[in-house]
Amino acid sequence: MDKQDWIADDLKYVWHPFTQMKQYEGDEKPICIVKGEGIYIEDIDGNRYMDSVSSWWVNSLGHAQPRLAKALYEQACAIEQVIFAGFTHKPAISLAKKLITLVNNRLKHVFYSDNGSTAIEVALKMAYQYWQLKGKASKKKFIAFENAYHGDTLGAVSVGGIDMYHKVYRPLLFDIIREKSPYCYRCPCGKEKEHCRLECLQGVEEILKARHDEIAAVIIEPLIQAAGGMIMYKAEYLTKLRELCDAYRVLLIDDEVAMGFYRTGKLYAYEHAGIVPDIVCSAKALTAGFLPLAVTLCTDELYYAFYDEDKDGLKTFYHGHSFTANPLACAVANENLAILQEMNMEEYLKPKILAFKRGLEKFRNYPHVGDIRQWGMVSAVEIVKDKRTKECFAYEEQIGKKIYSAGLRRGVLLRPMWNCMYFMPPYVITEEEIDSLLRLAYDSMREVLG
Amino acid sequence: MDKQDWIADDLKYVWHPFTQMKQYEGDEKPICIVKGEGIYIEDIDGNRYMDSVSSWWVNSLGHAQPRLAKALYEQACAIEQVIFAGFTHKPAISLAKKLITLVNNRLKHVFYSDNGSTAIEVALKMAYQYWQLKGKASKKKFIAFENAYHGDTLGAVSVGGIDMYHKVYRPLLFDIIREKSPYCYRCPCGKEKEHCRLECLQGVEEILKARHDEIAAVIIEPLIQAAGGMIMYKAEYLTKLRELCDAYRVLLIDDEVAMGFYRTGKLYAYEHAGIVPDIVCSAKALTAGFLPLAVTLCTDELYYAFYDEDKDGLKTFYHGHSFTANPLACAVANENLAILQEMNMEEYLKPKILAFKRGLEKFRNYPHVGDIRQWGMVSAVEIVKDKRTKECFAYEEQIGKKIYSAGLRRGVLLRPMWNCMYFMPPYVITEEEIDSLLRLAYDSMREVLG
C-alpha cells in the first residue's frame, strides 16, 4: 500500500478523537507517522517533525525509547496480564511501592486504573463513598472550576468546565458547584498580578463556609488548567486551597494526570505549593507515554474507611477494569521510574526550564502576544487580537489551526488550543532544540499574524 | 525479596479492585503470579493454576503468546505512541479496516478508546449527541436492564443494574429507564422456557410505544449478562429487540466488551440473532487480553450526523483519551486478528464448545445445581440451596468464595459470582483440559456443598 491508500483507509474507517472529520478530510490531510526517535516523529514520506506537545502530553523520555521497549518485551514473554482481584504480580507491587516511597508523605495507597479519565472517576467515587461510609451522607457535592478539564467519561465531564466540550452532555451529568478559574492573565476579580491576594478564592471560601456539610471534595488541576488553555496560577493558590479544605473538612482531589511526573519540574505539581492532597490522580507520563496506565493515590484516612469485615459487601470499593494494573504497562512504568531516578530528573530539567524562560523573551514585544507563562517544562504564549484590551481572535479566524499548519511546514508539531500556543516537549529536548523550537514557533506565528 | 516481602508490600501499597482489603489481607492471601503459558498461570512458589476465567475474561490465545509479544516489541522499536488528532498511524488504520471488513455490514466506522468502560461512554455520548444533532432534542433517555453491567465510570454505572456495585453512587448517576432482565432460569414473567414468547420484552415494547420520542437508545449485553451472573437469554430476544428499535426509531447499543471476539463462538454475539446493532462496543479479547484497547463501531448514519462544516465547533464529537489508538495495543490487536483468521476460529471452537456441552451434563443431577447454561465458550452452573424453590444460598454463606478456595487448592482458578460458577477459558484449551477443568470444578463444588 502506498501513502494515498493509507490516508484513504484512515478517512474511510477511522473516526478520530476531538476531530471534525469533514475538516480533517478536507484541507488538512492526516499525517501518517511510521517511526520516532527522541523528540522527533517521522511520517510515511520521511518528513520529520519536532514533537513539541509530547504526543498529547504523554511522552517524556523520547520516542521508541529502547530501554522501555526492552522492559516491555521481557514482561510480555513472562506474563502479559493478571487478574488483579485475589491475584497480584511483581510489576504492580514494585510500582506501587516506588510511587508511595517517592512521595514520602500522607499518600499511602495506590489504586490502579487505565487512563486519566478513569483515575478521576476512581477519585470521585472514592471521595463520595468515603463520606457515605463515615456517616456524613449529606456530603455529596463536588466543587470544580471554570476552564477545568478532567477527562471525557461522564463523571469526569461532570467536573469539567469547558463549555465547548461539555455543554451538550449536560443532562447526563451530575450537578456540581462551579467556582472561578484562577486565570491570572484574565483575572476573574479584575486584579493585576502584583496586587493579587487570591481574591479568586473568596468564592470557594464562602461556599465552603456555608455548605461544607454538603461538600465531599474540591477537584483541581494543580498550577495549570491545561486543556482550558494552559491557564497558570500561583502555587500560593493551592496552598490556600489546602488550608480551606482542612478548615472545612473537605477532601482535596489533585488531578496530576497532565502535570505529574516532572512536567512542572517536580515529580508532582502539588509539591510547589508545599501541600499534600488527599487524593492524587496520575497517568500520561507515568509510563513515559508508552501505554495507558493510571493511578489514584490516597491517604490512610481514605483507605481505612473502606477497610472492614464488610459482612454485607457495602464497604467494598466497587471499581475495576479488566486490565487494572496491566503487567506490561506496570513494567514500562517501573523502567521509566528507574530512568528518571538515574537521570536525576529534577536537576536534569533545570537548565532546560531556564532555556525556555530565556527563549520566550523574544515573544514579549510581539504585538499579538498578550501573555507569556511558564511552569517548569510547560510554557505558553497567549495570542490576542489587541494587546491593550486583551481581545481574542474570533473562533472562526482559526488562528490556532493556521499556526498548526505553518508549524508543520517548518517541521514542528505545534498544536495551539484556541489562541494559546504552548510548548510541552519530551524532557530529552536539548537546549539547542529548545531555541530551535521557539524560533520555529515564532516564525510560524509571524507567518499567520504578520 | 522473597515471597513474604512481595505479599507484604502488596498489602501495604496496593488497593485492589472489587476487593474488600481486610478480607483479602485475612484468610485469603493474594497469589503473586510470575509467569504464564497457554491456559496456565504460575505463582511465585511455582504453583500452576488453570485459568478458567481468562484472567477476567480477556485472554483468548493463551498467556505470554510469543507472536503477540514479538509484534508488541517490533512496534515499540518503531513508534510507541502517536497523537491521534491530526495524525494517524498504520496499526490503527489496518485494525480499523480489518474490523469493518470482518463485520461486512452496516457498521462502517471505528472510534478508538482505552477500555470497555470508555467504549460504553463513547457509545452513550455518541447516541445522545446524535439525536441532538438530528434535531430530536427530546430523545435523551436510555433504556437499560436489571442485572446489566457496562463498566465502572459513572456514565457506564448509570446504565448498570447491579445494586451492590451501583446503588451507593445513585446521586452521581443520570436517570435511565430500567427494564426486566431476560433471566430465563428465573423468568421475570414466571414462564417456563418451553412456553416463553419473549413476554419479558413486553415492558420494553410498551415503553417504546409510549415514550420513543424521549428515548435515544437501548443498551444491552448480547446473549449473556455477564457480571450479573452469566445470565443467558435466547438469540430471538435480540432479534425482537432490534425490530422494536427499528419500529420506534431508537438506537441499539450492543455491549460486546465481554462477548466479542469469539467468546460465544462467533466474532460478535449479535451475529447469533441475525441482526446488526447501530453501535457496537468491544474491548478485552480485542488484544487477546494483552493490553487495554477498545473500539466503538458505528454506522454511516451515526458518523455522518457529526460530519459537517461545523463552523461553530458544535458538531464535533468531543471525546478522546491521550492514548487513543495506542500503536502498541493496535499492533497486538492486528496480530491477534491474523492469528484468529489463520486458526479459522469459528470452526476451531466448535469441538471445544461441544466438549463443554458434554462435560456439563455431569452437573445436572447434582442436588444444588439449579441451572446449567451455555453460549459458545461461556458456560455456567447456577448453584441453589433448594433446587425445587430455586432458593439461593445467602450472601453470608460465601459459597462462591469457598469454591474459589477449593479450586485454588486443586490448581484451578474458578471465580464464582455469587452462586454462579462459570467457565470462560482461553480458546486454546484442549478437549482434555476441558474435561479436567470440569472435573476439578465439580470436585471443588462438592467439597463445599457436600
Side-chain angles (χ1 to χ4, degrees):
Chain A
M1 270 171 59
D2 69 10
K3 180 192 164 185
Q4 274 66 33
D5 297 326
W6 285 104
I7 300 302
D9 279 350
D10 181 78
L11 295 172
K12 185 167 178 188
Y13 299 111
V14 182
W15 187 345
H16 285 263
F18 281 92
T19 303
Q20 172 46 255
M21 291 303 293
K22 187 164 186 179
Q23 191 178 66
Y24 180 62
E25 191 177 306
D27 45 5
E28 209 66 76
K29 287 277 184 295
I31 295 170
C32 185
I33 298 298
V34 295
K35 60 182 175 178
E37 192 184 359
I39 67 160
Y40 294 95
I41 51 177
E42 188 177 319
D43 75 10
I44 198 167
D45 292 322
N47 299 311
R48 294 178 92 209
Y49 305 92
M50 196 184 274
D51 180 5
S52 87
V53 301
S54 294
S55 294
W56 253 352
W57 317 349
V58 299
N59 191 285
S60 53
L61 301 177
H63 287 287
Q65 214 281 351
R67 277 178 63 179
L68 299 176
K70 188 159 169 284
L72 182 58
Y73 184 59
E74 284 171 3
Q75 186 60 45
C77 293
I79 180 76
E80 80 297 339
Q81 174 59 22
V82 172
I83 181 172
F84 210 57
F87 291 76
T88 189
H89 55 86
K90 291 180 181 179
I93 300 170
S94 296
L95 181 58
K97 184 177 187 174
K98 278 183 219 155
L99 291 172
I100 295 304
T101 309
L102 272 172
V103 296
N104 190 27
N105 58 27
R106 292 192 306 126
L107 297 162
K108 296 291 184 198
H109 306 274
V110 176
F111 195 98
Y112 286 103
S113 67
D114 295 350
N115 64 25
S117 294
T118 59
I120 296 295
E121 299 269 342
V122 167
L124 297 172
K125 289 169 73 178
M126 197 180 268
Y128 179 88
Q129 196 172 348
Y130 166 79
W131 289 114
Q132 301 301 305
L133 293 173
K134 296 293 275 188
K136 303 271 189 184
S138 63
K139 287 172 85 74
K140 291 180 174 179
K141 289 266 183 225
F142 293 88
I143 295 180
F145 295 87
E146 289 169 4
N147 296 316
Y149 175 86
H150 297 289
D152 287 329
T153 52
L154 287 164
V157 172
S158 296
V159 289
I162 303 176
D163 268 356
M164 181 173 289
Y165 298 169
H166 302 145
K167 200 173 175 182
V168 63
Y169 308 114
R170 193 60 64 200
L172 304 180
L173 309 180
F174 59 80
D175 279 338
I176 63 144
I177 298 165
R178 192 169 309 287
E179 283 296 328
K180 292 189 178 82
S181 167
Y183 194 163
C184 293
Y185 175 59
R186 298 176 187 278
C187 175
C189 305
K191 309 289 286 188
E192 294 299 320
K193 267 183 206 166
E194 307 77 56
H195 305 107
C196 160
R197 292 173 177 233
L198 303 177
E199 284 83 353
C200 60
L201 263 175
Q202 277 173 8
V204 178
E205 183 159 13
E206 282 160 23
I207 204 91
L208 284 173
K209 193 169 179 181
R211 296 174 62 186
H212 58 92
D213 273 348
E214 300 167 47
I215 297 167
V218 178
I219 180 167
I220 194 160
E221 293 159 276
L223 306 186
I224 308 181
Q225 291 188 304
M230 296 300 166
I231 294 167
M232 301 195 188
Y233 62 90
K234 299 196 285 189
E236 291 75 24
Y237 178 96
L238 266 191
T239 315
K240 172 80 174 166
L241 183 61
R242 171 76 274 185
E243 285 168 19
L244 292 174
C245 288
D246 283 340
Y248 293 104
R249 295 209 61 210
V250 160
L251 299 171
L252 180 60
I253 300 173
D254 175 30
D255 176 355
E256 297 262 0
V257 170
M259 293 309 143
F261 285 83
Y262 296 101
R263 205 56 80 174
T264 66
K266 290 182 182 288
L267 174 60
Y268 293 112
Y270 72 74
E271 297 172 29
H272 292 279
I275 63 153
V276 183
D278 299 289
I279 301 179
V280 168
C281 303
S282 181
K284 294 193 197 286
L286 171 59
T287 60
F290 256 57
L291 283 170
L293 178 70
V295 290
T296 303
L297 311 181
C298 73
T299 60
D300 271 348
E301 175 63 24
L302 266 293
Y303 181 81
Y304 284 107
F306 292 77
Y307 180 93
D308 200 357
E309 295 299 337
D310 198 22
K311 293 232 183 323
D312 50 8
L314 295 178
K315 287 199 160 186
T316 300
F317 184 51
Y318 287 111
H319 192 105
H321 303 284
S322 309
F323 289 98
T324 298
N326 172 250
L328 298 169
C330 287
V332 171
N334 278 317
E335 188 69 8
N336 175 37
L337 283 177
I339 297 173
L340 291 171
Q341 198 156 13
E342 287 169 31
M343 289 173 80
N344 194 2
M345 192 48 69
E346 200 169 320
E347 289 306 312
Y348 174 84
L349 290 176
K350 283 179 180 168
K352 297 169 198 257
I353 292 168
L354 281 175
F356 267 110
K357 191 173 160 62
R358 275 194 312 270
L360 285 163
E361 279 307 312
K362 88 167 89 176
F363 288 81
R364 196 167 298 279
N365 293 321
Y366 187 70
H368 290 294
V369 167
D371 191 32
I372 295 170
R373 42 191 187 249
Q374 182 186 8
W375 257 119
M377 289 296 282
V378 187
S379 49
V381 170
E382 184 164 332
I383 293 165
V384 290
K385 193 159 188 169
D386 185 321
K387 205 163 184 159
R388 196 180 50 81
T389 62
K390 302 184 181 179
E391 188 197 347
C392 297
F393 285 98
Y395 179 86
E396 300 76 45
E397 297 185 70
Q398 300 271 339
I399 296 302
K401 192 165 161 285
K402 288 174 188 164
I403 293 175
Y404 170 76
S405 301
L408 290 180
R409 284 193 297 275
R410 286 173 173 78
V412 58
L413 164 51
L414 303 166
R415 194 181 150 82
M417 294 180 293
W418 301 278
N419 299 325
C420 169
M421 182 164 66
Y422 69 92
F423 312 105
M424 199 169 168
Y427 308 153
V428 292
I429 191 169
T430 65
E431 291 175 57
E432 293 68 35
E433 287 167 337
I434 290 169
D435 290 341
S436 164
L437 165 61
L438 293 176
R439 197 182 62 246
L440 294 169
Y442 190 84
D443 293 348
S444 302
M445 179 183 73
R446 281 205 56 174
E447 180 190 316
V448 173
L449 302 175
Chain B
M1 270 171 60
D2 68 9
K3 180 193 164 183
Q4 274 66 33
D5 297 326
W6 285 104
I7 300 302
D9 280 350
D10 180 78
L11 294 172
K12 184 167 179 189
Y13 299 111
V14 182
W15 187 345
H16 285 264
F18 281 92
T19 302
Q20 172 45 255
M21 292 302 293
K22 186 163 187 180
Q23 191 179 67
Y24 179 62
E25 192 176 306
D27 46 5
E28 208 67 76
K29 287 277 184 291
I31 295 170
C32 184
I33 298 299
V34 295
K35 60 182 175 176
E37 191 184 359
I39 66 160
Y40 294 94
I41 51 177
E42 188 176 318
D43 75 10
I44 199 167
D45 292 322
N47 300 311
R48 294 178 92 208
Y49 306 92
M50 196 184 274
D51 181 6
S52 87
V53 301
S54 295
S55 294
W56 254 352
W57 318 349
V58 299
N59 190 285
S60 53
L61 300 177
H63 287 288
Q65 214 282 351
R67 277 178 63 178
L68 299 176
K70 189 160 168 284
L72 182 58
Y73 184 58
E74 285 172 1
Q75 186 60 46
C77 293
I79 179 77
E80 80 296 339
Q81 174 60 21
V82 172
I83 181 172
F84 209 57
F87 291 74
T88 188
H89 55 85
K90 292 180 182 179
I93 301 170
S94 296
L95 180 58
K97 183 177 186 173
K98 278 183 218 153
L99 291 172
I100 296 303
T101 309
L102 271 172
V103 296
N104 189 28
N105 57 28
R106 292 191 307 126
L107 298 162
K108 296 292 183 197
H109 306 274
V110 176
F111 195 98
Y112 286 103
S113 67
D114 295 349
N115 63 26
S117 293
T118 60
I120 295 294
E121 298 269 342
V122 167
L124 296 172
K125 290 169 72 178
M126 197 181 269
Y128 179 88
Q129 196 172 348
Y130 166 79
W131 290 114
Q132 302 301 305
L133 293 173
K134 296 294 275 188
K136 303 272 187 183
S138 64
K139 287 171 85 74
K140 290 180 175 179
K141 289 265 183 225
F142 293 88
I143 296 179
F145 295 87
E146 290 169 3
N147 295 316
Y149 175 86
H150 297 288
D152 287 329
T153 53
L154 287 163
V157 172
S158 295
V159 289
I162 302 176
D163 269 355
M164 180 172 289
Y165 297 169
H166 302 145
K167 200 174 176 181
V168 63
Y169 308 115
R170 193 60 64 201
L172 303 180
L173 309 181
F174 59 82
D175 279 337
I176 63 145
I177 299 164
R178 193 171 307 288
E179 283 296 326
K180 292 189 178 82
S181 167
Y183 195 164
C184 294
Y185 174 58
R186 298 176 187 277
C187 175
C189 304
K191 309 289 287 189
E192 294 298 322
K193 268 183 207 166
E194 308 76 57
H195 305 107
C196 160
R197 291 172 177 234
L198 303 177
E199 284 84 353
C200 59
L201 262 175
Q202 275 172 10
V204 178
E205 183 159 13
E206 281 160 23
I207 204 91
L208 284 174
K209 193 170 179 180
R211 297 174 62 185
H212 58 90
D213 273 348
E214 299 167 47
I215 297 166
V218 178
I219 181 166
I220 194 161
E221 292 160 277
L223 306 185
I224 308 181
Q225 291 188 304
M230 296 299 168
I231 293 166
M232 300 194 190
Y233 61 89
K234 299 196 285 189
E236 291 74 23
Y237 179 96
L238 267 191
T239 315
K240 172 81 174 166
L241 183 61
R242 171 76 273 185
E243 286 169 17
L244 292 174
C245 288
D246 283 340
Y248 292 104
R249 295 208 60 210
V250 160
L251 298 170
L252 180 60
I253 300 173
D254 175 31
D255 176 355
E256 298 262 359
V257 169
M259 294 308 144
F261 285 83
Y262 297 101
R263 207 54 80 173
T264 65
K266 290 182 183 289
L267 174 61
Y268 293 112
Y270 72 73
E271 297 172 29
H272 292 279
I275 63 153
V276 183
D278 299 290
I279 300 178
V280 168
C281 303
S282 182
K284 294 192 196 287
L286 171 58
T287 60
F290 256 57
L291 283 169
L293 178 70
V295 289
T296 303
L297 312 181
C298 74
T299 61
D300 271 348
E301 175 63 24
L302 266 294
Y303 181 81
Y304 283 108
F306 292 76
Y307 179 93
D308 199 358
E309 294 299 337
D310 198 22
K311 294 235 183 317
D312 49 8
L314 295 178
K315 287 198 159 187
T316 300
F317 183 51
Y318 287 110
H319 192 104
H321 303 283
S322 310
F323 289 98
T324 297
N326 172 249
L328 298 169
C330 288
V332 171
N334 278 317
E335 189 69 8
N336 175 36
L337 283 177
I339 296 172
L340 291 172
Q341 198 157 16
E342 286 169 31
M343 288 173 81
N344 194 2
M345 193 46 68
E346 199 170 321
E347 289 306 312
Y348 174 84
L349 290 176
K350 283 179 180 168
K352 296 168 198 259
I353 293 168
L354 281 174
F356 268 111
K357 192 173 159 63
R358 274 195 313 270
L360 285 162
E361 280 307 311
K362 88 167 90 179
F363 288 80
R364 197 167 297 279
N365 292 321
Y366 186 70
H368 290 293
V369 167
D371 191 31
I372 295 170
R373 40 191 187 249
Q374 182 186 9
W375 257 120
M377 288 297 282
V378 186
S379 48
V381 170
E382 184 164 332
I383 294 165
V384 289
K385 192 159 188 168
D386 184 322
K387 204 163 184 158
R388 196 180 50 80
T389 64
K390 301 185 181 178
E391 188 198 346
C392 296
F393 284 99
Y395 179 85
E396 299 77 46
E397 298 186 68
Q398 300 271 339
I399 296 302
K401 192 165 162 285
K402 289 174 187 164
I403 293 175
Y404 170 76
S405 301
L408 290 180
R409 284 193 296 275
R410 287 172 172 79
V412 59
L413 164 51
L414 302 166
R415 194 181 148 82
M417 295 181 291
W418 300 278
N419 300 324
C420 169
M421 181 164 67
Y422 68 92
F423 312 105
M424 198 169 168
Y427 308 154
V428 292
I429 192 170
T430 64
E431 290 175 57
E432 292 69 34
E433 287 166 338
I434 291 170
D435 290 342
S436 164
L437 165 61
L438 294 175
R439 197 182 62 246
L440 294 169
Y442 190 84
D443 293 348
S444 303
M445 178 183 73
R446 281 204 58 174
E447 180 190 317
V448 173
L449 301 175

